[in-house]
Each structure stands twice: as C-alpha cells, then as structure tokens.
Amino acid sequence: MNSNFSKLPAEWQTMTRTAAQAERFAYADPGYSATLCRKSLEEWIRFMYQHDGDLETPYDTSLNALMHAKSFQDLVAPSYFPQLNIIRKLGNDAVHTNREIRAAEALHAVKLLYGFIYWAADLYGEFPAGAKPPFDETLIPRGDEAEKTKTELAKMEAAYTASREELKRVKEELAQGTALKNKNLVRVGKPSDPDEALTRKMYIDSLLSEAGWDVTAANVLEYPVKGMPTADGKNNGTGRVDYALWGADGKPLAVVEAKRAGKDPRAGQEQARLYADRLEAAFQQRPFIFYTNGFQTWFWDDGQYPPRLVHGFYTREELQMLANRRAQRLPLRDQPIPKAADRYYQQEAIRATTEAFEQGRRGALLTMATGSGKTRTAAALIEVMSKAGWVKRVLFLADRTALIDQAKRNLNDYLPNMPAIDLTKEKSDASARISFSTYQTMMHQIDGEFSGDRRYYGVGYFDLIIFDEIHRSVYNRYRHIFNYFDGLRVGLTATPRSEGDRDTYALFELEPGNPTYSYELEQAVADDFLVPHLAKVVPLKFQREGIKYAELSEAEKLDYESRFEDPLTGELPEEIGSEALNQWLFNADTVDKALGYLMEQGIKVEEGDKLGKTIIFARNHRHAVFIEERFNIQYPAYKGDFLKVIDSQAEFRQHLIRQFVTKEKAPQIAVSVDMLDTGIDAPAVVNLVFFKQVRSLVKYWQMIGRGTRLCKDLFGYGKDKKYFYIFDLCGNFEFFGDHPKGAPESTAKSLSQHLFETRLRLAQILGEDEEEAVLAYSRSLKQTLIVQTQALNVKNFIVRQHLRHVEKYSEAGRWESLSDLDVKELFGHIAPLIVETDEGEAAKGFDALCYELQFYLYRGDKRQAKPIEKIKEMADRLSKKGSIPAVQKKMDVLKAVQKPAYWSGATVLGIKQLRADLRELAQFIETAHRAFEYTNFTDEIRIIQDPPTVYVSKNLEAYKRRAQQYLRSQEHHVTIRRLKMNQPVSSGEMEELE
C-alpha cells in the first residue's frame, strides 16, 4: 500500500514500518495511530543515540529523558523540541488516559513525525538534502477503506511486537547494510512544522488537559471582559481571555494568555494582567496569570512573586490552595522551631531558610557537614512551614534507595503525624503528606502516572521539594525534574561552600559561594558535634601519573568534572596511567599488604582486640570481590563474616547495610562500591580506606562524611569516639590539596596480646613450683599458647613477616624449657599476631584479670589488691541481680568473694576455680550493666531468662534508642528522670511510659 513514508530510500524502509502503520490508522483509529507515532519516534531517537557519536546517552533511557538530554536538544534545536514533544505527549495520552484522540490530532502527529523522519534520514542517509516531498493526505485511508483497515486492527495488534524487541532487530539490520555519516556530520536544518498554529493549540490544550482542565467547558475559551483600556486612554474597551480557569465556587482562578508560536509569550504579560484586573473587579478574587506560546509557559502570582517559567498548568485544587494561602498562611518568623532541631546551627538554618522564603525567594541551599543533622533540620523545617500553612505536600528526593529508606525512617520519627510514602516501594497515595523518591523513580512517575485523564504529578503537586545531597552530577542527570516541579526548593549538601559549583548555586538562584546557610565540618568539630579525620600514610607505592585538582583553575575544574564524569556514579576517572593503577589495585600482594596494614594500624574496639567498623571504598565490583577473596584467605578464622561486599550487585544489600551500621553486629568491614559513599548513618565507623582514586570533590567530602558522626561509649562505657582514620592508598589527599593531621602509629596492645603475654608470664613462674597440680596448670597454660601459635595463618601478610619465629614456636618441643631470649621473642613476634575471635570482650577481660591476680599472688606482690577490688566490685553488682537464674546459681560464690576471709587464704589454684565459676557471668554483667546505664528498665531485666548474654546484647541498641526517644518526650520526662536516677517508679507510670 502506498504511504508518504514509502518515498524514503529503500535502506530506511525497515525503520518506517511503524510510522506507515500510524499513518494508515489516522482516521480509522486515531488513538492507536497516536500510540504508533510515539513508538516510531522512540525507535528513531534510539537509533540516533546508537549511531551518532555526539549524542551522550543519559543515565535514564526513557524517551522523555532521551529527548531532554542536552546533547539531543543541541542537535535538533530547542525550537523544534515542542514538535517532538507533541508526538510523545499525544501517544502518552492515548495509552494512559481515557481522553478520546481526535482524527485531526492523530493526523497532525503523523505530519510532525513525517517531517522528523525525513530530517533524520537526511541527516544520517545519503540522499540529497531537501529531497522531502510534500505530505500527501490523499494516501491516508478514509471512508470504507478506513473501516476495512479498522477490522484488521485486532490482527495487527496481536502480531505487534514490543517496541524494544523490534528496535533491536531494526538496529541489527541497519548496522549491516546502512552507511551512516558517523563522523563530521553535516547538520541539516530542522524540519518545518506543517501547521504551527495547530501545534501551539494542541500543546496548550494537552497541558491543560493533563492538569484536569476541560477546555471545552463553558466560559473557558474566549471569555469576554469589559473595562479594558483603549487607545484614547479610557477604560471602556472589551477583550477576550484566551482561556479562563474557574474554581468550584464559580470564581476565577487563573487567566491564560496565548501567543502565536513564533512570538515570545512574555509579550502577553501586560495583557494577561489587565484581564486579571477585570476579572478581579467582577468577582472580587484575583486570578493567577499564565501566558504562553504553547512551548514556553510563564506563571505569575503577582501578589507574591515575579513571573517564572513553568512546565505546565496547576490543577483546580492546587490553584484554589494557592488562592486560600494568600489570606490564611501565617508568618514563618512567628512559628516556634520544633525540638527535633535541638542544636543552635539547625535552628539558624531553619530561620535563614524561612527568612529567604518570606523575602520572596523560592529556593534555599543549606551547606551542612555530613552528620550534622540535615535530615533532622529538614524535618523541623517541614513542620514549621506546614503549621504556618505554607506547605501541604512535600517531596524528598535522593539518588539512592538506601538514602530514601533511611530518610523516611528518620522523618517518621520526627513527624509521626504526617503520613509518608516511599514511592520506590509503594504506589502513589493522595493522602500522603511527605513523598520520598529517588530521582530515577520520580522521572518515571512524572511521565507514567495518570489518574484518569490527568497526570498524577503535575507541576504544582508538591509545595516543597527537598533535594538531598544536591550537586552538579545529580542536576546534570535529572535536570528536568528540577525544572518540572514548581514548588519551593531546599537543597541539602555537605560540600563546603568554597568548593560548591556554580550550577548548584544557580539552581537556587544564589551567588556562587553564598548558600542560604552554611555549617561546615571545621566548625562542627570545634563545637564537638562531629569528629575530625586523621590521615594514615600507608607505606605502599604505585606508579601514578596525572593532574592535581587543586592546581586547576575554576573553569578547568568545571570542564574536567563535566567532561569525564561517569553518568551513573558521578565518579571521575584518572586520565593518565589507568592501566598501571588497574594492575596495582588487582595485585594480590598489594591487597594483602593494604589489609594487613589496616588490621594492624586501624582503630580497634573491644580493648584493642577487634578492628572497629570500617568502610573500604573499592574501585568497582570486581575489585571489591577481589578484596573480599584476599581477606578470607588472609583471615580464615573470621569464617567469612568479618568483611562483606556491599554494592548494587549484593543480594539483600539493605539487610547487609542494617547489619553493618549496628555496632554489635557483623560485618565489621564493608567494601563499598558507590553504595555507602553518601548518606548512610553509621556512627561506629572509625576507619575509612580510599582504595580508589576519587576525582569528584563532592564525592570526596561525602565519603569523608561517613566517619564524622559521634558515637558514645564506642570503646567502653564513658569512652566515646574522638576521631577516625582515613587510609588513603591512591593519592586523594594530594589530588584535592587536603592536608589532614596525621594519625599516630598504633602502639597499644590488644586484649588478645595482653592475654597471651600474661598467660606466658604465669606459665613460666608456675613452672618452677614443686606441687604437681601447679605444674599441671602451668603445662595447660603453655599448651593453650602452643595451639594459638600453631593456628596462625602463614598465608597472612603480617604473619609472613614473622614466619621464622612462627615456624620455630609451632614446634611443641621448643616450649619445654624457654629461655629469657625465647620469652622475649614470643613477646615481640608471636603475641602481637594473636587474635582470639571466639570469646567475648568481657570474658577475655575477666581471664586477664584472673591471670594477673594469680601472678601477683604467687609472687606475693602488693599489686594484687587492684584486681581483687575489681572482682569484689563485679561480685557486688551481680549479687544484686539475684532474680536472674544464671546469677542465682552462683550466689554463694558471689557472696563469699566479697568477704575478707576469702582473700586471706586465696591461692593460684583457688583463683583458677573462681575463674571457672564466674567467667560465664562476666560477659553478662558487663553487657547488662551497659544496658542499665542507658535505661534502668529493671522490670524488663528481671524477666530475662537464660542465656542472658544473648538477650541483653541483642537488645542493647534497642534500649538505647528507646531511652533517647523517651528523653525527648516532655510528657513523661519526670518518670524517665526517676528511672535514670534509680528512683522508684510505680507500675502505673511504667505502663503509661510503655
């Protein structure tokens, strides 16, 4: 059958099949024709991205994102973009709404598609420019032929393959047979619009329809007004409002002034204002003002703000709400700041933001160091603006699902009465006051969510949009989200204000380097709200060449980041020496040495016996897996639980993140690939390892922020986190010109090392005794040390450095008669290698206490008094918890050791028995004591059954959270303070508190 599209050269005919079908059904089934037009448009645009080297594929590959990409708009010219958008939007309406597509609309879309296809074929093909014949409407089936065509529709739809599958085949055919001008393309002029006036009208009507307006309703089109100014200076003229939009009460909500497509719509600003004046005089309500040429639309709330570009129209409900707010909203400055923002700088940030909004600004940028409470500040700001009647619906955007999950949980705690929804997991809900979404999800929601004929998320749906961790790379990828929504904007960023990019500031209409409010890391550390980072110089070398970021000019920095930034991660690759770096990163010896140095020099917990929570930033997934493999080879005693890869390819990654951020749970080391770089709240992290080159300044500061949070009692009760280490393996400090204070070399002995040395001293001195029972005890102590030495992993990098001594003392015979030199070698080369992973911290501490006491007792050393007092104190605390079955079983021993008579006859073997009697309770009393320090919920502790250690340890963090939540509650603060001070509390008060 003849078609306008059959006139293209033969090599393009495969690509025109969908367009020809769209043409065939323009009259027979306009809705189906519109759908096919959109499908054909997508096929051609994807073809262009595949074959045109100047087109950079964005992260999101939906049709909307492909069309909005800057490289595509530069190619087709911005003035032509609305024509393509008509095709896309009409196709969306046909699929997603119940709106009836008229034959005239479908035909117009076919004509626009015809112009675009010939333009693209001219651009990439070999036939002469300007060879496009005029569109011939007589080739489109009408009348009986149309009915015949319509009867074939069901068969064609059944045989119709999915667009992606068909496009794949098309690409394969074209790749084999079509010679494209991939290099030095001659850009041809944009295709003409066959009916510019119709395009404009369709565009305006479509946007109004998406916002729920019926342009065919009474008094909408060409609404007459009187009292317009005339040439003679009088006000007795008449006029017609192009579109008048009315409220349910019959009062005007908005006027829309339409200008021809080629004219700047701002030319209609004064005319639209005059129309608004006349309607206000007639109905005593000031309407809002829109003026548009169909492709650019301006919105003017002339009582509040200057005119601004918008990407659509407000719904009736949204305009009514804006109208109501004119009279009902309260001054923000008079609103009290909620207690969620309990720090001075959080309150200052809120006041600075509300002041900016009251001054008529529509954007605010808060530069706040990671860990300083940006989410808490945002929650308090939402509450202030909500109570003042400024906002109803809030959108919280972030670029990671994990950040959305965390932000929702936190805001739910601060704003429990505001219904919230996570759009990455739940369907849209009109009752939600706060919507959480990733940028990717929201892009699809904007273009794919409809409620009947209306677009669900219109430009005015949200009153306030909060952008978490906003920076240039996010804006570059998702700029049309920023441009689409018209609500007030608040950006949150941890990037220092001196380092922020111009694009980010411009998004909030601010001068570079002048955020709305700034609270940076240096000040937060000085205020003791965050902890500083100390540099660990790693004694590893690799060949690296390249440029230094700090040495680039501002313009060069912008160019460098925009040119080499990865669209998915925001990372910037090294320009020179990448192969050498690759080889170094994936070298087993390199990774083994790096892990060994970390395990040796990293900040430890549990009396220096276990590496503190650590994040290793790996280059990619393959590198992360390689690190995990090498660790498990080097440290098999941890049984694969100590270090885990947490990235986008990890199964149950959210569960792994929750495990990692919990202080008492494994893993202890997380190897991250762009998963833990931003926003994850893990206060217990004390070591960061930069095992990759970072070339994004924003990412660099976000990564540093993983360690800045405070953590109380991390090293024991009353021993808080004061700083954290950064092991920079890839020259990032140097690249960014950062010079943090150096961290000291680790000299403290671990608890395992102390235990090994104490056992050895005790075994040596007891080996001189004449009593067989004492000698047997000495031999058993030595046997423990021999087994520990033999269990050392000789493949481990650190152990290999002491391999000669490990092999020497792995022979049991060498222990039969140890010389002073042997003991010195064991202390210097074996003891530091020992890590006891199967015992709890408190149990090992009790062992060391008993061994020290035995040593002092045997020697008659007066230093025995200190460990005796510690044991008596522990027994006293335990004996007060007699309601716990495990404690009750040992009550006789606990009471005995508190009496002087017990210690007057104490012996080495007696203390050995005491250790056996109380060792099991040592772990419990230490853990339970910490729980009591936070909560003192004695009624709960009394019902704990055996084994008590697991129960209390498992719930320690829960006790802390509950205590902190209760302390924030004003309703029960008296009861809580009584609990904290161990004062009596009635059962009724406890029930009310629960």
Side-chain angles (χ1 to χ4, degrees):
M1 180 178 176
N2 287 334
S3 163
N4 283 285
F5 297 97
S6 64
K7 302 168 187 176
L8 274 86
E11 66 264 27
W12 295 105
Q13 287 305 303
T14 303
M15 285 285 287
T16 61
R17 290 175 183 171
T18 306
Q21 290 177 16
E23 178 189 51
R24 187 180 181 191
F25 286 98
Y27 291 111
D29 194 325
Y32 186 55
S33 174
T35 303
L36 292 174
C37 283
R38 186 196 183 284
K39 178 178 181 292
S40 178
L41 175 68
E42 181 168 359
E43 291 174 352
W44 279 88
I45 289 178
R46 290 186 182 280
F47 167 83
M48 291 169 66
Y49 270 93
Q50 183 187 35
H51 294 281
D52 193 327
D54 289 343
L55 293 178
E56 300 175 4
T57 304
Y59 170 70
D60 183 11
T61 58
S62 66
L63 177 59
N64 190 34
L66 294 174
M67 289 173 57
H68 278 86
K70 187 176 184 301
S71 59
F72 182 79
Q73 293 197 350
D74 289 344
L75 174 64
V76 302
S79 60
Y80 181 51
F81 176 80
Q83 296 182 39
L84 302 184
N85 214 25
I86 282 289
I87 302 172
R88 182 186 67 84
K89 290 168 68 66
L90 196 66
N92 283 350
D93 286 352
V95 173
H96 296 294
T97 75
N98 297 320
R99 183 171 82 84
E100 183 178 354
I101 306 299
R102 294 170 293 169
E105 293 176 305
L107 177 60
H108 186 59
V110 171
K111 290 180 178 179
L112 293 177
L113 179 64
Y114 177 75
F116 173 66
I117 288 177
Y118 265 95
W119 172 81
D122 188 9
L123 180 64
Y124 297 106
E126 298 295 337
F127 66 100
K132 182 185 75 171
F135 189 88
D136 185 357
E137 291 189 28
T138 64
L139 296 177
I140 303 176
R142 292 172 180 262
D144 294 340
E145 190 175 359
E147 287 300 316
K148 179 182 177 182
T149 300
K150 195 170 183 178
T151 60
E152 299 172 359
L153 180 57
K155 295 180 181 179
M156 295 191 65
E157 286 181 330
Y160 199 67
T161 57
S163 61
R164 301 288 172 89
E165 294 296 323
E166 185 172 330
L167 181 58
K168 182 179 179 182
R169 177 179 55 76
V170 169
K171 288 177 178 178
E172 290 173 352
E173 291 180 10
L174 285 167
Q176 297 174 1
T178 304
L180 298 176
K181 297 182 288 187
N182 285 320
K183 295 182 179 179
N184 301 319
L185 288 171
V186 179
R187 299 301 184 209
V188 298
K190 73 180 181 68
S192 61
D193 187 338
D195 191 336
E196 191 172 36
L198 181 58
T199 297
R200 175 184 63 80
K201 188 176 187 313
M202 284 180 62
Y203 207 70
I204 297 173
D205 287 359
S206 177
L207 290 173
L208 285 168
S209 176
E210 285 181 0
W213 297 102
D214 181 3
V215 297
T216 66
N219 297 327
V220 172
L221 292 173
E222 302 292 330
Y223 184 80
V225 292
K226 297 179 181 179
M228 295 291 288
T230 59
D232 58 5
K234 298 180 180 180
N235 294 319
N236 56 4
T238 60
R240 289 186 176 275
V241 182
D242 289 328
Y243 298 82
L245 308 180
W246 303 89
D249 58 0
K251 292 187 176 183
L253 286 174
V255 298
V256 181
E257 172 62 18
K259 293 299 179 186
R260 66 175 183 269
K263 191 170 184 178
D264 189 329
R266 286 173 289 189
Q269 179 180 350
E270 181 62 17
Q271 185 177 359
R273 186 183 67 79
L274 291 171
Y275 288 151
D277 290 344
R278 303 326 309 149
L279 288 175
E280 181 182 15
F283 294 93
Q284 289 73 54
Q285 177 169 291
R286 179 97 184 148
F288 298 96
I289 298 168
F290 293 93
Y291 40 95
T292 177
N293 63 2
F295 308 133
Q296 273 194 341
T297 301
W298 290 81
F299 177 58
W300 192 13
D301 177 2
D302 59 349
Q304 304 289 335
Y305 302 102
R308 59 185 183 270
L309 271 174
V310 291
H311 287 258
F313 294 96
Y314 276 63
T315 68
R316 172 185 283 180
E317 294 80 4
E318 291 159 3
L319 286 177
Q320 188 65 62
M321 190 176 297
L322 288 182
N324 295 342
R325 281 182 186 148
R326 287 170 170 167
Q328 296 174 3
R329 73 182 188 182
L330 303 174
L332 292 171
R333 59 183 173 276
D334 295 340
Q335 295 299 309
I337 294 179
K339 292 174 182 175
D342 56 358
R343 294 178 177 176
Y344 79 89
Y345 61 86
Q346 295 167 349
Q347 297 168 7
E348 289 178 354
I350 292 169
R351 287 300 182 211
T353 302
T354 56
E355 182 180 340
F357 287 154
E358 288 193 313
Q359 290 174 350
R361 293 190 175 275
R362 295 188 59 80
L365 179 63
L366 305 181
T367 301
M368 299 176 68
T370 297
S372 59
K374 293 192 293 293
T375 306
R376 183 187 292 258
T377 303
L381 176 65
I382 292 171
E383 185 172 346
V384 166
M385 298 188 71
S386 177
K387 287 184 175 180
W390 281 62
V391 304
K392 179 181 178 181
R393 292 193 183 109
V394 179
L395 174 62
F396 190 100
L397 289 167
D399 64 348
R400 305 280 176 82
T401 303
L403 304 187
I404 289 298
D405 181 64
Q406 180 173 278
K408 183 174 182 291
R409 281 188 280 110
N410 290 340
L411 262 74
N412 280 346
D413 288 340
Y414 305 137
L415 304 171
N417 297 321
M418 285 194 178
I421 186 171
D422 181 351
L423 293 175
T424 66
K425 302 173 183 175
E426 306 166 78
K427 289 189 68 65
S428 303
D429 186 346
S431 66
R433 294 287 304 279
I434 308 176
S435 298
F436 295 85
S437 177
T438 60
Y439 295 100
Q440 302 94 315
T441 297
M442 182 48 64
M443 286 173 63
H444 294 295
Q445 293 279 342
I446 291 172
D447 214 29
E449 282 288 311
F450 282 78
S451 177
D453 296 343
R454 290 174 50 177
R455 186 180 294 277
Y456 194 89
Y457 292 111
V459 297
Y461 188 88
F462 295 106
D463 306 303
L464 175 66
I465 303 99
I466 298 175
F467 304 97
D468 192 28
E469 298 293 352
I470 180 64
H471 50 85
R472 184 195 300 118
S473 64
V474 171
Y475 175 70
N476 286 344
R477 279 178 278 163
Y478 308 114
R479 69 177 68 207
H480 49 285
I481 293 181
F482 296 89
N483 296 332
Y484 179 77
F485 287 116
D486 188 48
L488 299 173
R489 300 170 175 176
V490 173
L492 308 175
T493 180
T495 307
R497 60 180 175 180
S498 60
E499 308 290 355
D501 58 83
R502 292 177 178 272
D503 289 348
T504 301
Y505 284 97
L507 178 63
F508 299 94
E509 300 177 348
L510 297 168
E511 291 295 320
N514 288 293
T516 307
Y517 184 77
S518 178
Y519 185 73
E520 298 185 4
L521 179 59
E522 183 178 349
Q523 185 61 49
V525 170
D527 290 342
D528 292 326
F529 289 131
L530 295 177
V531 299
H533 60 286
L534 303 180
K536 266 293 187 180
V537 179
V538 183
L540 303 174
K541 295 181 180 180
F542 65 93
Q543 296 298 317
R544 179 175 58 86
E545 300 177 30
I547 59 178
K548 294 183 180 179
Y549 185 88
E551 295 176 357
L552 299 176
S553 68
E554 289 302 315
E556 288 170 334
K557 289 177 182 177
L558 290 174
D559 180 67
Y560 177 78
E561 293 193 11
S562 62
R563 184 184 299 273
F564 297 104
E565 180 180 78
D566 184 286
L568 174 61
T569 66
E571 282 294 313
L572 288 146
E574 61 287 341
E575 292 186 74
I576 304 173
S578 60
E579 189 56 37
L581 176 61
N582 245 342
Q583 294 174 1
W584 185 82
L585 290 174
F586 287 90
N587 180 275
D589 186 59
T590 296
V591 175
D592 291 352
K593 288 178 179 178
L595 290 172
Y597 192 75
L598 169 67
M599 296 293 285
E600 191 174 39
Q601 291 292 321
I603 295 177
K604 309 289 198 312
V605 294
E606 296 187 6
E607 298 296 331
D609 226 27
K610 181 165 70 173
L611 186 73
K613 292 284 184 174
T614 299
I615 301 176
I616 298 177
F617 299 108
R619 181 172 185 178
N620 52 38
H621 177 70
R622 190 165 63 90
H623 186 216
V625 171
F626 184 67
I627 292 171
E628 183 180 37
E629 291 172 352
R630 295 308 307 172
F631 184 88
N632 288 335
I633 291 172
Q634 295 286 303
Y635 301 95
Y638 289 112
K639 302 177 179 64
D641 288 329
F642 200 82
L643 179 149
K644 292 287 187 183
V645 173
I646 302 180
D647 65 4
S648 59
Q649 297 189 43
E651 294 184 357
F652 301 104
R653 50 187 173 273
Q654 295 304 322
H655 170 73
L656 284 172
I657 290 174
R658 285 192 290 271
Q659 291 285 109
F660 175 70
V661 301
T662 303
K663 189 163 60 174
E664 289 82 10
K665 293 182 179 180
Q668 204 68 6
I669 303 175
V671 187
S672 167
V673 183
D674 300 311
M675 181 64 70
L676 303 181
D677 297 10
T678 60
I680 299 301
D681 188 0
V685 167
V686 286
N687 302 297
L688 300 178
V689 182
F690 286 18
F691 214 154
K692 67 175 181 178
Q693 285 186 327
V694 184
R695 291 300 176 258
S696 165
L697 186 65
V698 171
K699 180 65 69 67
Y700 175 73
W701 284 107
Q702 288 174 338
M703 290 163 66
I704 287 176
R706 297 314 97 219
T708 58
R709 286 174 171 81
L710 302 174
C711 189
K712 291 186 68 63
D713 303 329
L714 180 60
F715 305 103
Y717 182 67
K719 299 176 182 178
D720 303 338
K721 175 180 170 182
K722 298 296 184 185
Y723 50 80
F724 66 100
Y725 287 174
I726 296 180
F727 296 78
D728 183 16
L729 277 65
C730 296
N732 296 294
F733 290 147
E734 177 188 7
F735 182 81
F736 290 110
D738 188 16
H739 305 289
K741 183 179 178 181
E745 288 296 304
S746 177
T747 56
K749 293 180 181 179
S750 69
L751 185 55
S752 292
Q753 179 180 352
H754 178 63
L755 260 175
F756 186 94
E757 293 177 357
T758 306
R759 280 195 186 103
L760 180 54
R761 286 195 187 97
L762 183 60
Q764 282 293 92
I765 196 172
L766 296 182
E768 301 172 0
D769 200 270
E770 296 180 355
E771 184 181 345
E772 178 55 32
V774 175
L775 290 173
Y777 182 41
S778 172
R779 289 193 294 270
S780 69
L781 290 172
K782 281 190 177 180
Q783 184 59 35
T784 299
L785 301 177
I786 292 169
V787 171
Q788 288 181 320
T789 304
Q790 292 173 338
L792 290 171
N793 178 21
V794 295
K795 294 181 180 180
N796 180 275
F797 163 69
I798 298 175
V799 173
R800 288 203 303 267
Q801 297 179 41
H802 306 271
L803 189 57
R804 183 169 63 87
H805 296 92
V806 172
E807 290 180 346
K808 175 180 177 180
Y809 292 104
S810 291
E811 297 178 11
R814 299 302 297 261
W815 292 76
E816 291 180 3
S817 181
L818 295 173
S819 65
D820 291 344
L821 178 60
D822 291 335
V823 172
K824 186 177 180 180
E825 286 183 343
L826 286 166
F827 274 33
H829 296 279
I830 303 300
L833 304 178
I834 301 299
V835 177
E836 298 189 16
T837 60
D838 296 331
E839 300 288 350
E841 175 186 353
K844 288 187 288 187
F846 187 63
D847 284 347
L849 189 66
C850 291
Y851 292 144
E852 285 180 2
L853 177 56
Q854 289 172 313
F855 184 80
Y856 295 145
L857 275 174
Y858 193 81
R859 295 182 60 182
D861 194 317
K862 63 181 180 180
R863 285 179 289 179
Q864 64 185 269
K866 187 174 182 179
I868 287 174
E869 284 306 311
K870 286 185 177 180
I871 292 174
K872 288 169 66 177
E873 179 186 350
M874 188 193 82
D876 177 60
R877 286 160 53 198
L878 278 168
S879 61
K880 293 176 182 178
K881 310 300 177 187
S883 58
I884 300 172
V887 174
Q888 185 60 43
K889 291 177 184 177
K890 303 293 182 181
M891 190 59 71
D892 291 343
V893 179
L894 292 172
K895 290 182 177 179
V897 298
Q898 296 180 63
K899 298 176 180 178
Y902 180 89
W903 298 104
S904 62
T907 64
V908 169
L909 295 180
I911 301 303
K912 176 188 175 187
Q913 184 59 47
L914 177 65
R915 171 177 167 267
D917 287 338
L918 298 185
R919 188 175 189 273
E920 181 181 345
L921 295 184
Q923 178 72 35
F924 166 63
I925 188 57
E926 179 65 22
T927 310
H929 175 67
R930 292 185 186 181
F932 298 148
E933 291 292 345
Y934 285 105
T935 64
N936 286 313
F937 292 148
T938 53
D939 287 342
E940 289 194 31
I941 297 299
R942 278 198 199 98
I943 63 171
I944 295 171
Q945 301 299 314
D946 285 329
T949 302
V950 176
Y951 184 93
V952 179
S953 176
K954 177 181 178 183
N955 288 279
L956 179 57
E957 286 301 314
Y959 289 147
K960 289 185 196 177
R961 287 194 299 271
R962 290 173 60 189
Q964 290 163 358
Q965 290 168 1
Y966 292 151
L967 283 173
R968 287 198 296 266
S969 166
Q970 291 303 298
E971 187 178 355
H972 303 296
H973 71 280
V974 175
T975 305
I976 293 162
R977 297 199 183 284
R978 275 200 228 137
L979 281 169
K980 296 292 285 184
M981 297 173 67
N982 285 325
Q983 295 176 351
V985 175
S986 71
S987 59
E989 287 174 318
M990 282 298 293
E991 286 179 8
E992 187 178 4
L993 189 61
E994 289 291 340

